[in-house]
Amino acid sequence: MSSFNQRVYEVVKNIPKGKVCTYGYIALMIGSPRASRVVGYALHRNPDPQNIPCHRVVNRHGRLAPSFAFGGMEIQKQLLEHEGIKVRDDGTVDLSIYMDWVK
DNA sequence: TATTTGACGATTT
DNA sequence: CAAATCGCCAAAT
């Protein structure tokens, strides 16, 4: 119980619809501000894709995962737009707008 | 069982 | 201002 991965999973689930979050912030929420790496890796394994909308998680620049996201950035981009999030051609989102829920 | 690496981020040099 | 290094934890080899 209380595994690291579990906490990441819970925080990501807690992300409001139409908003995004960064790996670093999730790490901060679980109590390890420097475990952003582990957060990303935890989502990489994605133990529960049904409840873990990885497409809502971006890096601190608001950029989507460049390597891969469940099939391609295009899909992620569409999912984000589907939630009402504007995604630039670069695959970046305005953290000033979509991250204000934490502030 | 031990070592290496991996969707990142902050700090230090 | 830029580059390099440290920190975090788990999974794969």
Side-chain angles (χ1 to χ4, degrees):
Chain A
M1 344 258 276
S2 318
S3 45
F4 194 94
N5 193 309
Q6 180 104 37
R7 289 192 187 145
V8 174
Y9 150 80
E10 208 163 308
V11 173
V12 175
K13 265 194 323 188
N14 193 40
I15 300 176
K17 187 180 176 188
K19 301 284 177 171
V20 299
C21 192
T22 63
Y23 295 102
Y25 198 79
I26 294 168
L28 195 65
M29 280 202 118
I30 64 182
S32 299
R34 285 172 176 147
S36 50
R37 203 173 172 136
V38 194
V39 173
Y41 205 64
L43 292 173
H44 163 67
R45 291 187 309 117
N46 212 335
D48 198 344
Q50 297 173 82
N51 297 302
I52 307 181
C54 328
H55 61 270
R56 278 192 204 150
V57 185
V58 295
N59 62 26
R60 86 167 199 73
H61 296 290
R63 169 81 149 97
L64 307 182
S67 304
F68 57 143
F70 50 96
M73 278 199 317
E74 296 300 318
I75 305 299
Q76 184 169 15
K77 185 177 172 185
Q78 275 204 7
L79 285 166
L80 290 170
E81 290 184 326
H82 182 71
E83 308 240 327
I85 299 172
K86 292 187 300 185
V87 183
R88 296 179 80 175
D89 294 339
D90 299 66
T92 51
V93 298
D94 291 305
L95 292 176
S96 311
I97 301 174
Y98 303 113
M99 224 175 172
D100 69 325
W101 63 279
V102 295
K103 254 171 92 177

